Amino acid sequence: MPVPFESFIPFAIMSAMFVVTGTGIQFAQNKRNEGKGVRYSMDDWDRKMMARDKQLTGSIRGQSDKPVAPEEFKINSVWKVYDSFRNDFL
């Protein structure tokens, strides 16, 4: 005759695995987004601002409140690469 508490051990193991995987996914998303919430429904403007933030701060989620861009901003633009590439082949 089976004892009712025999199923508690497998149930606890399965529940622990759900908790471990959920916590792992949450940790990975948190590290990827630098502790900020996940962005949903991004449009073209948001993507352009993320590219701008990447150039200004070196991080997609980082933002800067300085009114003047750093000196590196002049040379790390993708448009300069595009213009030189276009001028070489046209």
Side-chain angles (χ1 to χ4, degrees):
M1 178 114 176
V3 182
F5 57 83
E6 284 180 346
S7 64
F8 288 154
I9 293 174
F11 180 73
I13 291 172
M14 289 190 317
S15 299
M17 289 298 111
F18 278 118
V19 169
V20 167
T21 55
T23 304
I25 289 173
Q26 183 67 28
F27 177 76
Q29 286 179 345
N30 198 8
K31 291 297 279 185
R32 184 181 62 201
N33 291 319
E34 299 175 4
K36 298 179 181 176
V38 181
R39 292 183 176 181
Y40 296 105
S41 301
M42 290 192 325
D43 58 357
D44 196 34
W45 173 262
D46 293 329
R47 289 184 190 91
K48 288 179 182 179
M49 289 295 107
M50 286 171 65
R52 177 188 148 275
D53 292 342
K54 174 88 171 145
Q55 288 178 346
L56 282 173
T57 63
S59 171
I60 291 176
R61 296 301 301 259
Q63 296 177 348
S64 176
D65 61 349
K66 298 177 184 172
V68 178
E71 288 297 319
E72 301 89 32
F73 190 73
K74 293 179 182 177
I75 58 173
N76 69 355
S77 176
V78 72
W79 291 108
K80 289 191 181 284
V81 174
Y82 174 75
D83 286 341
S84 65
F85 180 75
R86 186 180 67 176
N87 291 336
D88 288 344
F89 293 103
L90 292 179

